[in-house]
Amino acid sequence: QVRLVESGGGSVQAGDSLRLSCAASGRPFSEYDMGWFRQAPGKEREYVGRINWRGAVTDYADSVKGRFIISRDNAKSIMYLQMSSLRPDDTALYYCAAAASYWGRRAESYDFWGQGTQVTVAS
């Protein structure tokens, strides 16, 4: 079992940058493939991106490619989401998630979730 806590959300202007963090505890962080998801009011939870256990392989949704970068530091048990060129439609509650076995773009593939951190982008 691993516990996840997101942080770094806030309110910014369109075009600004923001870095989210996901701190893990309870189990060795390197055992888990990780993902980022987001959910806006009235919408379904949306895939943002993922990173494998070593950090060598990443994948992103088309809507964030070229703007968001996922990284992880296994020594510190932290995963990051660096966001740039933010748009109003990036506004959502952002979640990090850990997969103990399967790994992919579906939320159902992930076993553990953080509480979420709010990102609000004004035009």
Side-chain angles (χ1 to χ4, degrees):
Q1 184 177 347
V2 62
R3 294 181 292 274
L4 305 173
V5 179
E6 302 97 334
S7 62
S11 297
V12 298
Q13 300 287 340
D16 285 353
S17 297
L18 199 62
R19 188 179 76 166
L20 306 184
S21 298
C22 175
S25 63
R27 293 282 291 181
F29 185 56
S30 61
E31 292 184 3
Y32 299 92
D33 298 317
M34 303 290 294
W36 284 99
F37 293 80
R38 66 187 183 185
Q39 188 167 22
K43 297 184 178 180
E44 298 294 323
R45 186 165 298 188
E46 177 187 22
Y47 170 77
V48 174
R50 55 187 172 135
I51 187 167
N52 78 332
W53 67 272
R54 187 176 293 178
V57 180
T58 56
D59 177 70
Y60 301 92
D62 289 342
S63 60
V64 306
K65 282 183 179 178
R67 299 190 298 119
F68 291 9
I69 298 174
I70 298 172
S71 61
R72 67 190 294 169
D73 186 337
N74 287 342
K76 296 181 178 180
S77 297
I78 300 176
M79 177 179 66
Y80 301 99
L81 180 65
Q82 178 66 52
M83 304 181 291
S84 61
S85 301
L86 284 163
R87 307 165 179 168
D89 59 3
D90 292 321
T91 296
L93 188 65
Y94 283 72
Y95 298 91
C96 67
S101 55
Y102 303 104
W103 181 61
R105 292 186 167 196
R106 297 189 301 111
E108 293 77 11
S109 298
Y110 295 83
D111 302 290
F112 306 101
W113 295 81
Q115 83 288 352
T117 186
Q118 179 67 38
V119 173
T120 301
V121 184
S123 60

